[in-house]
Amino acid sequence: MSLLDRLVASGKTRLHIGGEWVPAGDASTFPVVDPATEETIAEVSSGSEGDMASAIGAAHDAFPAWAEAAPRVRGEILRRVFELLTEREDELAELITRENGKALSDSLGEMRYGAEFFRWFSEEAVRNRGEVYRSPSGDKRIFVVNQPVGVSLLVTPWNFPIAMGTRKVAPALAAGCSVVLKPASDTPLAALALADVFAEAGCPPGVINVVPARRSGPVVAAAVADSRVRKLSFTGSTEVGKTLLGLAARRVLNVSMELGGNAPFLVLGDADLDAAVTGAMQAKMRNAGEACTAANRFYVAAEVADEFADRLAAAMGSLRVGSGMEPGVDVGPLINAPTRDKVAALVAEAADGGTVLTGGTAPKGRGYFYLPTVIKDVARDAGILTTEIFGPVAPIVRVDDLDDAIAQANDTDTGLVAYLYTRDERAGLKVAERLDTGMVGLNRGLISDPSAPFGGVKESGLGREGSHHGIHEFLEPKYIGTNW
Ligand code: NAD
């Protein structure tokens, strides 16, 4: 029996509150659709404002004992979760593909990345160090202890159904916080499966609660207004992030925001083109382009632009598009029809003036597919360069000099990640410092790593996930002044 069938048969498609699987108070449900077939694969309970309040209550009750638990105890539960996720990565990857559509190889990559947050933060849980020092005037000792911020509301997107959750749950629990996780309405199943693994790993009831909700806006707004919630950690679009920042401001709520990107990918004239194309394929095509880190705009030195475009088009054109569940498929469907239609509209506009080298169409038939596409000589004012594409499309712009490339790269409101290819590492480091982003891939197309600080500047967000920084998003320093 598949994991999906087991979740459905055992009622684990209901809300997970206080260690129990419960229906929504008003018994409402919503469908989860397989993007490859457009068929409903499960009905999931749709939490209301009242259900959210119950989940916050459960997290609030569980918080004192969890915060007090020995760090080693918390760390070992997280380690056990890492082990269970790793043992079951194949069936969890299949579940991700069923609800999100991405190719199984992408889902497996997501599982490994997602599980690593539990290994990393099981180790960080026991390294919550404070400080002691003497004040400059000598009148006292200054003690600083880092305490868990409290009940944390975690809101996640559909593009990495497990990893965007684990990247928040692992540091929150390591810090001693209890959580309510509100997964994306398109992909709630992986988060429910994660809650099930936690119960098996010996996590006390109420420490992790999961509340899917069809009406995300009002249900999340109610949670943000609840005085028992002390932290909001959100990953999703900049638009929704701004709305939530507004709501959080009313309570001066502690927030972390991982928002949208518009990543530039720079290829300098001296770049190793084989490496640049390999990196471009990773930066563009992981998750069929549905990643906040996806390369969104390629700025390529004029002298290598045609060759780079031809090589990239050959690589993109050779990818196999199909149901993510089929072995050998590289590119699954996009998440839903509006996303596919948005991609098609951006390509149509960019093709007016640019040259489509491969792709440029949505295959006929069922499923929200779009062909891997390369467009060269895209006009500098094309909407595709200022919009997060979230699809398998690479627009290429020819640039004449480095300053122009950097100016173009920085000419955006977002600043999550940038990629840069050059054989001159020293020059590359200098350029990296001039790019207005939280992260730079220098001769690398894939840089996400649980042990590195992930996050953006400008409208791409506030705070960092992963590394030793990640746990501090869920800790508050407390200063105690005293004399010996
Ligand atoms: P989204 O903003 O539509 O949804 C994110 C989450 O918020 C979901 O759980 C959704 O149900 C919920 N939500 C939607 N409307 C809401 C509202 N009005 N109030 C409260 N909650 C609401 O984003 P998405 O379409 O799920 O994800 C794609 C976006 O996420 C892209 O912009 C992508 O760049 C971004 N993203 C960023 C990162 C990062 O780490 N910076 C990672 C992954 C995705």
Side-chain angles (χ1 to χ4, degrees), residues 111-127:
M111 275 311 303
R112 290 179 184 163
Y113 173 59
E116 274 300 330
F117 285 97
F118 290 108
R119 176 152 62 175
W120 175 262
F121 283 108
S122 72
E123 294 158 354
E124 288 299 293
V126 294
R127 292 185 176 80

Side-chain angles (χ1 to χ4, degrees), residues 240-467:
V240 173
K242 285 179 180 177
T243 303
L244 293 179
L245 277 169
L247 295 176
R250 295 185 194 166
R251 289 192 49 227
V252 195
L253 186 62
N254 182 326
V255 291
S256 300
M257 291 273 152
E258 294 288 348
L259 307 178
N262 178 12
F265 189 107
L266 276 57
V267 182
L268 307 194
D270 69 342
D272 173 344
L273 286 193
D274 287 335
V277 171
T278 303
M281 291 299 287
Q282 291 171 326
K284 180 71 253 181
M285 291 308 293
R286 193 164 61 120
N287 263 10
E290 291 177 315
C292 53
T293 50
N296 209 57
R297 328 167 260 152
F298 292 78
Y299 295 109
V300 185
E303 63 267 36
V304 293
D306 289 326
E307 191 179 347
F308 175 81
D310 289 342
R311 287 205 208 176
L312 184 62
M316 293 277 272
S318 70
L319 294 176
R320 208 175 132 210
V321 180
S323 162
M325 294 295 288
E326 276 177 40
V329 159
D330 304 298
V331 186
L334 299 178
I335 188 71
N336 51 33
T339 300
R340 181 201 45 204
D341 296 346
K342 183 189 101 174
V343 171
L346 288 171
V347 170
E349 190 215 346
D352 182 16
T355 307
V356 177
L357 298 181
T358 188
T361 52
K364 298 247 175 313
R366 288 182 88 73
Y368 312 120
F369 295 97
Y370 198 86
L371 293 183
T373 299
V374 176
I375 316 173
K376 82 168 175 180
D377 294 328
V378 171
R380 288 183 175 213
D381 60 353
I384 202 163
L385 303 179
T386 52
T387 311
E388 196 176 23
I389 305 169
F390 247 55
V393 182
I396 299 176
V397 177
R398 209 179 281 266
V399 285
D400 290 320
D401 67 63
L402 182 59
D403 286 340
D404 181 31
I406 295 171
Q408 297 291 319
N410 288 341
D411 186 18
T412 173
D413 291 332
T414 53
L416 188 60
V417 59
Y419 303 92
L420 169 67
Y421 273 77
T422 172
R423 280 200 169 88
D424 185 343
E425 289 273 338
R426 188 165 163 271
L429 286 168
K430 280 187 172 174
V431 175
E433 290 193 355
R434 291 174 62 192
L435 292 167
D436 279 347
T437 55
M439 303 178 283
V440 176
L442 176 53
N443 293 322
R444 283 194 65 88
L446 188 59
I447 60 165
S448 299
D449 189 311
S451 61
F454 187 104
V457 300
K458 299 199 273 186
E459 293 190 3
S460 286
L462 301 166
R464 293 293 181 272
E465 292 188 327
S467 82

Side-chain angles (χ1 to χ4, degrees), residues 56-65 151:
I56 293 167
H60 191 251
D61 291 345
F63 172 65
V151 173

Side-chain angles (χ1 to χ4, degrees), residues 154-160 164 167-168 182-187 213-221 224 234-241 243-244 247 257-262 290-293 335 339 388 390 416 439 454-456 460-461 465:
L154 315 177
V155 182
T156 54
W158 50 261
N159 63 339
F160 291 93
M164 295 302 94
R167 206 163 76 174
K168 297 184 189 303
K182 207 300 284 174
S185 317
D186 283 314
T187 57
R214 183 173 38 79
R215 294 182 306 107
S216 299
V219 172
V220 171
V224 171
F234 173 79
T235 298
S237 61
T238 297
E239 186 190 352
V240 173
T243 303
L244 293 179
L247 295 176
M257 291 273 152
E258 294 288 348
L259 307 178
N262 178 12
E290 291 177 315
C292 53
T293 50
I335 188 71
T339 300
E388 196 176 23
F390 247 55
L416 188 60
M439 303 178 283
F454 187 104
S460 286
E465 292 188 327

